[in-house]
Amino acid sequence: MRMLMLGGSGFVGRATVAEGVRRGWTVTVFNRGRHGAPPDGVRQLVGDRTTSDGLAALADGEWDVVVDTWDGAPRDALAGARMLAGRVRHYVYVSSGSVYAPPVPAGVTEDGAVVDADPAAADGDYPTLKRGSERAVQAVLGDRVLLARAGLILGPGEDIGRLPWWLTRIARGGDVLAPGPADLPLQYVDVRDLAVFLLDAGVSGLGGAVNVIGRPGHATMGDLLAAAVAATGADASLRWIAPDRLLDAGVAPWSEVPIWLPPGHEYRWMQQVDVARAHAAGLVGRPVADTVADTWEWLRRVGTVPGRAGRPAREPVGLDPAREAALLAELATGDPVPAAR
């Protein structure tokens, strides 16, 4: 199989390239060449799709599968799709659940309402950029496009730092603020399982929109943090604090406490997405212990969370140590945390 990866130097791109190489495919990457060389045996085409002649390197060649993680201007996605239209069998666009229009209901399916977006737009916010790019590639390639709407992505190579923050924090040991309830269901996808699905779908010609995330409750917050304690071997004690007490103290879910979206939160739907279509098409999720342990092994090897290839820096995630200590002193009682409702 001949695979073209548009990008290939970021979190999802690297995992997808690695999966293509593992399969013995002929892999080509197209990017600006600013974030390191591709793996051995992978051909690199250099270009910048945001410039007037930036697609010139793609003027020749044919591919069975194209995978595209673009989150910039839809007009640039449109230009790329037009350039490749006659020379690619199937196009996999890695989109996002962020394209769903608020308020998003729990259990949202691929048929849910989406944000209004222009496929020829030059700018926009993240949801409209992703939705506009969906429309752009579909306008050119029709049912030869898979819109892979990913949710929370974890695993080795993560460039946002959510799971790495938890691992680093737990590795320091001591009392760790753990956001209750411990049995709160999580919904995420390991980046390597996502990559497998993307390439399998490209081979099979799966088209249309698919929510590509693990099943809700594949793991719980308790499972994740227990796996982090086990992986790091740290002398750490999880001090579970009820969600209402954390919220009353002004703790910000997702940013200050990564991954955590408590019951009743306006974005709780992100951990309750309908994924029947993806799993019917073959998506399989590995155990949370494997995701956590492999991320810890990777993090120890690289030393720090990498910068986000081709994207602006984001605000760091996670509680400041002094703030965590103050919250523990104020809130932690050792009492059982009520179960999720």
Side-chain angles (χ1 to χ4, degrees):
M1 297 294 290
R2 299 161 301 173
M3 168 188 157
L4 172 64
M5 180 77 224
L6 300 179
S9 56
F11 181 28
V12 174
R14 284 186 181 275
T16 306
V17 168
E19 177 60 20
V21 171
R22 188 193 68 80
R23 295 179 182 212
W25 290 9
T26 300
V27 179
T28 301
V29 298
F30 169 81
N31 55 44
R32 295 177 300 171
R34 299 178 183 174
H35 297 278
D40 290 344
V42 173
R43 182 187 181 202
Q44 185 176 34
L45 301 176
V46 177
D48 182 348
R49 66 169 97 183
T50 66
T51 64
S52 59
D53 61 348
L55 295 171
L58 293 174
D60 299 310
E62 295 183 356
W63 292 276
D64 299 297
V65 178
V66 172
V67 180
D68 186 3
T69 58
W70 183 246
D71 63 0
R75 70 177 181 186
D76 298 323
L78 184 64
R82 286 172 173 164
M83 169 70 83
L84 295 168
R87 296 177 289 115
V88 57
R89 187 178 63 82
H90 205 70
Y91 197 105
V92 177
Y93 177 64
V94 183
S95 187
S96 168
S98 297
V99 301
Y100 292 115
V104 184
V108 63
T109 71
E110 292 86 351
D111 299 322
V114 292
V115 297
D116 185 28
D118 180 357
D123 56 24
D125 58 16
Y126 184 74
T128 58
L129 292 175
K130 278 296 192 182
R131 177 55 187 157
S133 295
E134 285 189 351
R135 292 189 61 201
V137 296
Q138 272 197 320
V140 176
L141 295 154
D143 59 8
R144 288 190 289 151
V145 176
L146 170 67
L147 305 178
R149 292 175 178 166
L152 173 63
I153 307 171
L154 303 177
E158 186 197 333
D159 55 7
I160 294 177
R162 296 184 179 107
L163 180 53
W165 183 84
W166 277 114
L167 286 161
T168 302
R169 169 60 193 94
I170 286 172
R172 293 205 311 266
D175 287 344
V176 177
L177 186 152
D183 65 351
L184 182 72
L186 300 181
Q187 188 175 30
Y188 68 93
V189 64
D190 186 295
V191 69
R192 297 162 295 179
D193 299 329
L194 173 61
V196 168
F197 181 86
L198 297 177
L199 298 194
D200 285 349
V203 171
S204 69
L206 180 66
V210 180
N211 294 328
V212 189
I213 326 169
R215 300 185 191 278
H218 174 73
T220 65
M221 201 73 207
D223 295 334
L224 183 84
L225 298 192
V229 173
T232 59
D235 182 15
S237 298
L238 301 177
R239 301 294 299 275
W240 291 97
I241 300 176
D244 56 343
R245 301 185 72 196
L246 289 175
L247 296 173
D248 288 346
V251 173
W254 198 253
S255 55
E256 284 193 300
V257 184
I259 301 173
W260 179 63
L261 289 170
H265 191 274
E266 64 176 315
Y267 293 122
R268 181 65 197 157
W269 68 266
M270 293 171 58
Q271 306 261 322
Q272 299 172 307
V273 175
D274 184 286
V275 291
R277 189 173 296 179
H279 288 269
L283 178 63
V284 176
R286 69 192 65 204
V288 66
D290 292 355
T291 297
V292 172
D294 293 347
T295 302
W296 178 237
E297 180 182 358
W298 160 79
L299 188 60
R300 286 192 297 170
R301 185 171 68 252
V302 301
T304 188
V305 174
R308 304 176 72 229
R311 303 176 184 180
R314 297 180 58 144
E315 290 294 321
V317 299
L319 283 166
D320 174 81
R323 176 158 162 74
E324 181 194 11
L327 287 165
L328 283 169
E330 177 184 356
L331 302 176
T333 64
D335 295 335
V337 177
R341 295 188 295 274

